[in-house]
Amino acid sequence: MPRNAPSTPVHTEFLSASDAARLVARVGVVACLRQMVQALEADFARWNDFDKSARTAAHSAHGVIELMPVADAHDYAFKYVNGHPVNTQHGLPTVMAFGALADVATGAPRFVSELTLTTALRTAATSAMVARRLARPDSRCMALIGNGAQSEFQSLAFLDLLGVRTLRLFDVDPAASAKLQRNLAPWLDQYGAEAVTVDSVQAAVQGADIVTTVTADKRNAVVLDARALAPGMHLNAVGGDCPGKTELAAEVLRRSSVFVEYEPQTRREGELQQMPADFAVTEFWRVLTGQAPGRVSPAQITLFDSVGFALEDYSALRTMQALGRQAGLLSAIELVPTLADPKDLFALLHPTAGVGHPVLHKVA
């Protein structure tokens, strides 16, 4: 390239938190969940194409900050995410996240996005994707233990994709259950479903075909013990997602067929951290591709030890990028400088170089 010829500008597509909310409202929560499930199934089906690793975590007394990378031959993706249960006391979400897609061949960042709302969508979509293979096909009642920020998304995924028609809600904070009831009201009418708030875990799980636990406290808790188990039940354990944080008694795992995303990460962070190294589990991609059985009998108790894995964020990022383009809601940001000579970064500091604020405009 001639020294004074301008290089091709690298404009990175960007989806802000407010535009992500507009996008989901415009497309529809359920439609987004359905498309995300399709992307997840396609990516899990080519599991071996990806360079995978457990996430890197920085723990503190108040929470955890994590980086989650994954790559195939074409795309590199990562997510930055925190988990701080104390945040609600400061007016902040418990979980906040953003992430990016980059081109493996050049390293150029192609897409940067909020991932707080998107993480809630992808977590619910993952739960539904797995439950469609592991829960009994006639499952109609789900106990939802923990009615915080994830609960609406989990509820809608199971109402729409699993055919659940009764939700039994419990949270140690009654206001959280009341919030969930308000937000679900129009959806319950649409699906001909009901949501019943109860006053204990035991009341929630009684008669439930599916039990979803999604609590936030960063501690080794026993939200569910083995007395709650019933033949044919599917457990969707979402809340245990870092070392020292669990929701289920160890006996629950011993009595269940346990399925995980990426075993090395789950052994360190999930319910599985309670179990010996030789405790047998199945990575879910093997069920999806027919290499391992899922549910093998109506009486089997299945457990999805869900901690969240980077491949799911890759699926979510590419889904939101595609939907954002279609809706005209992506902006372009100048995240990488445009250089006349790619070897002369210092030229940016010249008074005539036109250094100013980053470009921010809607993508045509």
Side-chain angles (χ1 to χ4, degrees), residues 193-249:
E194 64 173 349
V196 180
T197 299
V198 297
D199 59 5
S200 69
V201 169
Q202 293 73 23
V205 301
Q206 186 173 8
D209 305 304
I210 299 169
V211 177
T212 292
T213 57
V214 58
T215 60
D217 284 348
K218 188 188 174 188
R219 62 189 178 92
N220 289 124
V222 180
V223 175
L224 201 70
D225 64 30
R227 291 173 297 176
L229 299 179
M233 189 176 276
H234 173 63
L235 307 175
N236 179 40
V238 181
D241 58 4
C242 68
K245 181 184 178 188
T246 57
E247 297 179 312
L248 310 181

Side-chain angles (χ1 to χ4, degrees), residues 3 337-355:
R3 184 169 293 273
T338 301
L339 301 171
D341 178 358
K343 295 184 178 180
D344 190 4
L345 180 64
F346 199 79
L348 286 175
L349 306 181
H350 192 276
T352 62
V355 177

